[in-house]
Amino acid sequence: MQKDNKKNIRESLREKGQFWTPDWITEPMVEYALSNGSDSLFDPAFGAGAFLRASQSYELENKRNISFSGMDTDETIFEQAAEFGHKKEELGNIEIRDFIFAETDSQYDSIIANPPYIRHHRLSAETKVFLKKLSRRVLGKEIDGRAGLQVYFLICALQSLKPNGHLAIILPADVCEGVFAKDLWNWITNNFCLDAVINFSREATPFPNIDTNPIVFLIRKSEPNENYFWIKCNEICRNDLVNLIKKNFLGDFNSLEITKREVSKSLETGFSRPLNKCNEEYLTLGDFASVVRGIATGANEFFFLTEEEIDKLQIPKEFFVTAIGRTRDVETEIIDDEAVENLRRKKRPTFLLNLNGEPFAEFPETLQNYLKYGETLDLPKRPLISQRKIWYKMEIRKVPPFLFAYLGRRNTRFIRNIYGVLPLTSFLCVYPKKENIEFVENLWQVLRHSETLANLNLIGKSYGSGAIKVEPRSLEKLPLSKNVLVKYNLIDSISFDKIYLKNSKTVVVQPLLF
């Protein structure tokens, strides 16, 4: 097969939320799935047959015959499997069928899967109704509508296990970090035994250059256990993972970090996240600041313009405020006059149309004409804009002293807003609870401290290549080191009973709940 054709097939798989799983991941997953002595293996998302190949390797190594079956919705899988090296006779037990919608009573001894990664906004309304019913039937309640299709693959796979059946499944980290995660994992850990969770370092990710943080979950249909093994894979090493599973997760391996953890504590923090090494009681960012999202315009291409565009439109600059829209437009940890001028030299948009509902007739003719042009584009009918009483009225935000990069890979996530820009939704606005300059500058030193930045892993949703997404309420839960707070004069002591904000009220320290 030519290189270009392979690339086209891979791109086609990406559009469907499918990604080939490498052998060094499939083989240890097969090892676990079959470690209950089963001689059959079921794959509900067959794809190109990566797990079939791993099962064939398992057969050769262990001198066992394994019956392999599977399902997939994509009729091109047989062509993909042939390109992957599988013969037609090996695919006799693969059905073109939707595992989630199949609603069969089939039960399996061993299930292995890399289900399609399809986020909720790409699901049809009909599919969402079906999934809500599925959730009510199995969990006894609806899980949040922001759960992607992969969450329901996990639910259906667990429901399809026989007693002592084993499931090895690779999923994105958001299955244990999303708003639905608490209900989902309470059900799982109350009804199944979680044996292990395998995380990957950035250097060892199975899917490089893809915006997902994959995790392998090893679960069996057995009495729940209070503990499980949390494994961090720091190098690509197939033998270490296979041998770890063969030895029931015991032993030392150069490429792996292995920790025995309590299920109950991981339910609070999320199974993808490292241990919280802070003391059980500590302060959070919410004790010192409030957080809100940046401005949502509803149509950046219309409301957020470059200097050249507004000069061409001849709209007076008094109707604009300086704003910033992209995280990559902030190249340093400070936005000052030079940073803004640099963006304008690069012809980046920095002017946000900032109308507060003034009568249309009071605007200059050039602005009136521009707003009429917006109406010809049907902007007033757009979902967000249509909710406004006056469609062109912009959201109001005070200038935040600090910005936070809502989603990004940058190490510097907090940004000091010296210039006074207003951020769009790529950023969160961080407002200190005290406005005196000493408090603000001391808080800035805390926010940029390495210990503070390291704690972002405890509250964010993780994606590929080190990207972390943090919602406003989650950012307010960011743990702050007591030693760092003392160092920068924001608290008076590091007593574990009570902490005193400098020149402010007493704050009783509360345990952090995620």
Side-chain angles (χ1 to χ4, degrees):
M1 179 180 181
Q2 297 298 316
K3 183 176 181 180
D4 288 346
N5 290 336
K6 287 185 178 180
K7 182 178 179 181
N8 290 337
I9 287 180
R10 182 173 291 275
E11 289 305 312
S12 174
L13 293 177
R14 288 175 190 270
E15 290 178 6
K16 299 166 187 172
Q18 300 172 340
F19 305 99
W20 286 333
T21 317
D23 292 347
W24 71 276
I25 298 298
T26 60
E27 292 180 10
M29 290 176 67
V30 167
E31 183 71 39
Y32 174 80
L34 296 173
S35 63
N36 58 356
S38 170
D39 59 2
S40 64
L41 190 58
F42 174 69
D43 180 356
F46 182 75
F51 290 117
L52 173 57
R53 183 161 75 179
S55 72
Q56 292 168 340
S57 296
Y58 179 91
E59 286 182 309
L60 290 173
E61 184 173 335
N62 293 276
K63 296 180 173 55
R64 290 176 56 189
N65 292 322
I66 304 300
S67 173
F68 193 98
S69 61
M71 292 183 186
D72 205 293
T73 60
D74 187 352
E75 294 184 357
T76 69
I77 60 167
F78 298 112
E79 176 186 347
Q80 296 169 28
E83 298 292 353
F84 206 59
H86 292 300
K87 299 177 182 178
K88 184 177 180 179
E89 56 267 25
E90 298 171 351
L91 308 176
N93 293 325
I94 309 303
E95 299 179 78
I96 301 301
R97 196 175 182 188
D98 192 317
F99 174 63
I100 289 180
F101 284 87
E103 294 192 284
T104 70
D105 294 326
S106 299
Q107 298 285 288
Y108 303 95
D109 290 310
S110 300
I111 301 177
I112 194 162
N114 175 10
Y117 180 29
I118 300 178
R119 295 175 180 172
H120 69 94
H121 57 271
R122 297 178 62 186
L123 301 175
S124 68
E126 181 183 11
T127 297
K128 288 184 177 181
V129 169
F130 177 86
L131 296 179
K132 284 183 178 181
K133 291 180 180 178
L134 172 65
S135 176
R136 285 197 299 269
R137 174 167 54 83
V138 178
L139 276 68
K141 61 170 68 175
E142 290 181 13
I143 60 177
D144 189 276
R146 285 166 282 188
L149 189 66
Q150 59 276 3
V151 172
Y152 296 94
F153 257 87
L154 173 59
I155 292 172
C156 289
L158 289 169
Q159 281 292 98
S160 300
L161 284 177
K162 291 181 180 179
N164 197 40
H166 282 204
L167 170 65
I169 188 167
I170 187 165
L171 295 162
D174 63 8
V175 300
C176 48
E177 296 173 348
V179 291
F180 53 82
K182 182 177 180 181
D183 289 336
L184 174 67
W185 286 97
N186 276 333
W187 172 74
I188 291 173
T189 56
N190 284 331
N191 292 280
F192 301 87
C193 181
L194 177 64
D195 279 327
V197 174
I198 304 174
N199 290 263
F200 302 91
S201 69
R202 190 182 307 185
E203 294 74 21
T205 179
F207 309 113
N209 304 317
I210 294 174
D211 285 334
T212 182
N213 178 22
I215 299 178
V216 175
F217 297 92
L218 306 179
I219 309 172
R220 56 191 162 95
K221 190 171 184 178
S222 184
E223 286 296 315
N225 202 334
E226 294 181 356
N227 302 304
Y228 74 101
F229 290 96
W230 194 88
I231 300 156
K232 180 71 171 291
C233 187
N234 293 316
E235 300 174 22
I236 295 175
C237 185
R238 173 259 182 195
N239 290 336
D240 280 0
L241 281 173
V242 169
N243 290 329
L244 174 70
I245 293 166
K246 285 183 175 180
K247 295 182 178 181
N248 294 317
F249 308 103
L250 300 176
D252 294 324
F253 300 89
N254 292 334
S255 69
L256 306 174
E257 297 175 31
I258 306 164
T259 310
K260 196 171 186 179
R261 295 190 183 179
E262 294 179 33
V263 169
S264 59
K265 289 186 177 179
S266 291
L267 285 171
E268 294 179 3
T269 61
F271 292 95
S272 62
R273 297 182 175 119
L275 282 174
N276 182 359
K277 296 182 180 179
C278 299
N279 187 277
E280 289 185 358
E281 296 182 332
Y282 40 84
L283 291 172
T284 67
L285 178 58
D287 292 314
F288 298 88
S290 59
V291 182
V292 298
R293 64 164 173 78
I295 295 171
T297 70
N300 283 3
E301 72 280 6
F302 181 83
F303 292 105
F304 190 42
L305 305 174
T306 66
E307 190 166 28
E308 289 75 12
E309 286 172 327
I310 63 173
D311 287 343
K312 185 176 180 179
L313 292 167
Q314 296 183 352
I315 301 174
K317 288 183 179 179
E318 66 192 73
F319 294 100
F320 294 86
V321 293
T322 302
I324 192 159
R326 303 189 311 182
T327 55
R328 61 179 176 268
D329 281 345
V330 184
E331 297 178 349
T332 64
E333 62 180 357
I334 295 175
I335 300 177
D336 53 14
D337 291 20
E338 182 180 352
V340 173
E341 287 305 314
N342 185 45
L343 288 176
R344 289 175 178 167
R345 284 193 296 270
K346 293 179 178 179
K347 298 184 179 181
R348 292 292 305 144
T350 57
F351 290 87
L352 177 66
L353 190 59
N354 189 46
L355 306 180
N356 295 314
E358 300 92 337
F360 182 85
E362 294 183 6
F363 294 142
E365 183 178 358
T366 54
L367 180 51
Q368 289 184 21
N369 290 337
Y370 189 59
L371 295 177
K372 289 177 182 177
Y373 169 67
E375 290 175 347
T376 68
L377 300 176
D378 286 334
L379 294 185
K381 296 179 182 178
R382 290 194 181 183
L384 177 62
I385 298 175
S386 64
Q387 298 175 30
R388 300 173 186 161
K389 188 174 181 180
I390 300 174
W391 72 269
Y392 52 78
K393 182 179 179 180
M394 191 51 56
E395 286 188 333
I396 298 173
R397 291 286 186 277
K398 288 172 54 180
V399 171
F402 310 115
L403 310 182
F404 178 82
Y406 171 66
L407 172 63
R409 297 176 178 83
R410 56 182 298 149
N411 292 324
T412 305
R413 301 300 299 274
F414 289 98
I415 301 155
R416 183 73 172 95
N417 188 12
I418 299 295
Y419 185 95
V421 301
L422 287 173
L424 303 190
T425 51
S426 291
F427 300 92
L428 302 181
C429 306
V430 180
Y431 298 102
K433 291 188 174 180
K434 296 176 67 177
E435 295 184 358
N436 71 71
I437 190 63
E438 180 184 2
F439 183 88
V440 171
E441 290 303 325
N442 287 345
L443 181 57
W444 169 234
Q445 297 305 319
V446 172
L447 296 180
R448 65 201 294 258
H449 196 279
S450 59
E451 289 188 39
T452 302
L453 298 175
N455 284 342
L456 290 170
N457 287 323
L458 302 173
I459 57 153
K461 292 176 67 175
S462 52
Y463 292 84
S465 303
I468 300 176
K469 179 180 178 182
V470 185
E471 305 287 350
R473 299 290 74 78
S474 296
L475 188 59
E476 289 182 350
K477 295 176 182 177
L478 176 66
L480 302 179
S481 163
K482 292 174 185 174
N483 290 323
V484 174
L485 291 169
V486 169
K487 178 179 179 179
Y488 293 107
N489 205 32
L490 287 184
I491 58 176
D492 287 321
S493 73
I494 53 173
S495 163
F496 289 107
D497 296 322
K498 289 185 177 180
I499 302 291
Y500 297 90
L501 287 177
K502 197 74 174 174
N503 302 319
S504 187
K505 64 181 181 179
T506 300
V507 176
V508 179
V509 182
Q510 300 294 333
L512 179 62
L513 299 177
F514 293 91

